[in-house]
Amino acid sequence: GTAEQPPQPLVEVEAADEVTPRPAACAAVVVVGTSTPPVAEVAAPPIACLKVPAPVPAPRETVAVCGALQDFCAEEVVTGLGITLHNLFSVSPATGGMMTIFHSIRAPRIGIRDYLARLRTYFHCSLECYVLALVYIDRLIQRHPKIVVSPLTSHRLLVCSLTLAAKFQDDVFYNNSYYAKVGGLHTLELNKLETKMLDYLDFRLLVDPQEFQLYHGMLRQAASGARPQPSVAAVAAPPRPPPPP
């Protein structure tokens, strides 16, 4: 097939230098400094002597259905993330909150759902990254209430959190000059956003399975329209005690 064309930068942003994917760490494992004496190497028997039953290939229909279901679940999560971020606009202050590093001077011309679709096309990150991105954004606004999700902040919060998620979760990822080009930012600007978000999160990027399932379910519910989601933080945070009589 033909090679995939690199993403075109957004109109209002200067293009960054072309980059290539950076592979994961070297696959070879070297043990250094062990005190255990070496064990004599034993030749492995030939493959023909191993009586291992040949794997039975799955029917084509099963493979096709599983692949289609996986694609559907992935798009459902991405759609739910776009809907959730858009719904958060309704609970943010009209002025967009106090000015922070995540604020744009003016609202980008591209909507948040179209912007997310662009990231989905060119980030090539795993499905889990979109769930982690929502977790990071929610942690951020809970720890720092002055930061709100609004038309002025949502794009930068999204590209920054998704960049962190891809680097933390995936074995193969790109560098910041590539992510900045996809997101319509200068590399230096994305570097500053990433550093500030890590600082605000206290470098807490690990998400336990229970928390992951909670946010994953929230995104699927948002995509299916099962119930409105006025605020991610309000849903994820523990209930407040009732006021005293």
Side-chain angles (χ1 to χ4, degrees):
T2 57
E4 184 177 354
Q5 296 297 322
Q8 297 298 319
L10 297 182
V11 176
E12 63 271 17
V13 178
E14 186 177 291
D17 296 332
E18 184 63 28
V19 294
T20 54
R22 185 173 69 171
C26 181
V29 178
V30 180
V31 180
V32 182
T34 57
S35 58
T36 307
V39 181
E41 190 174 322
V42 180
I47 299 297
C49 296
L50 301 178
K51 297 183 179 180
V52 180
V56 179
R60 289 186 178 181
E61 295 78 6
T62 304
V63 174
V65 170
C66 292
L69 182 60
Q70 184 177 12
D71 292 341
F72 172 77
C73 292
E75 296 308 320
E76 189 180 34
V77 168
V78 176
T79 301
L81 179 57
I83 294 174
T84 300
L85 292 176
H86 188 270
N87 288 345
L88 286 174
F89 295 170
S90 61
V91 297
S92 63
T95 58
M98 184 182 299
M99 290 296 295
T100 67
I101 191 176
F102 298 102
H103 277 74
S104 301
I105 298 177
R106 55 183 176 273
R109 291 192 296 267
I110 182 172
I112 188 61
R113 297 188 192 182
D114 292 335
Y115 187 72
L116 177 58
R118 175 182 171 88
L119 302 187
R120 169 68 171 161
T121 300
Y122 295 114
F123 259 53
H124 304 293
C125 59
S126 63
L127 166 66
E128 291 79 8
C129 292
Y130 297 92
V131 181
L132 296 185
L134 180 61
V135 175
Y136 298 159
I137 292 175
D138 196 26
R139 287 179 179 177
L140 185 68
I141 61 181
Q142 288 190 61
R143 292 170 61 92
H144 302 275
K146 65 180 181 180
I147 301 175
V148 298
V149 179
S150 71
L152 295 177
T153 63
S154 57
H155 297 70
R156 293 186 174 206
L157 288 172
L158 177 58
V159 69
C160 185
S161 61
L162 196 58
T163 298
L164 286 179
K167 292 181 177 181
F168 183 79
Q169 173 66 26
D170 293 351
D171 294 329
V172 179
F173 51 85
Y174 296 86
N175 58 30
N176 275 17
S177 62
Y178 178 87
Y179 290 137
K181 181 177 180 179
V182 173
L185 299 171
H186 295 288
T187 305
L188 182 59
E189 194 172 15
L190 180 58
N191 292 344
K192 292 180 180 179
L193 293 175
E194 183 182 34
T195 302
K196 183 59 68 174
M197 180 172 284
L198 282 171
D199 182 50
Y200 282 167
L201 293 175
D202 198 21
F203 290 82
R204 291 180 58 250
L205 300 183
L206 183 64
V207 178
D208 60 59
Q210 294 77 13
E211 188 178 16
F212 180 89
Q213 290 299 328
L214 170 65
Y215 284 85
H216 182 266
M218 290 165 58
L219 292 181
R220 295 190 64 183
Q221 287 177 348
S224 63
R227 58 172 179 166
Q229 289 190 285
S231 171
V232 178
V235 176
R240 297 180 180 179

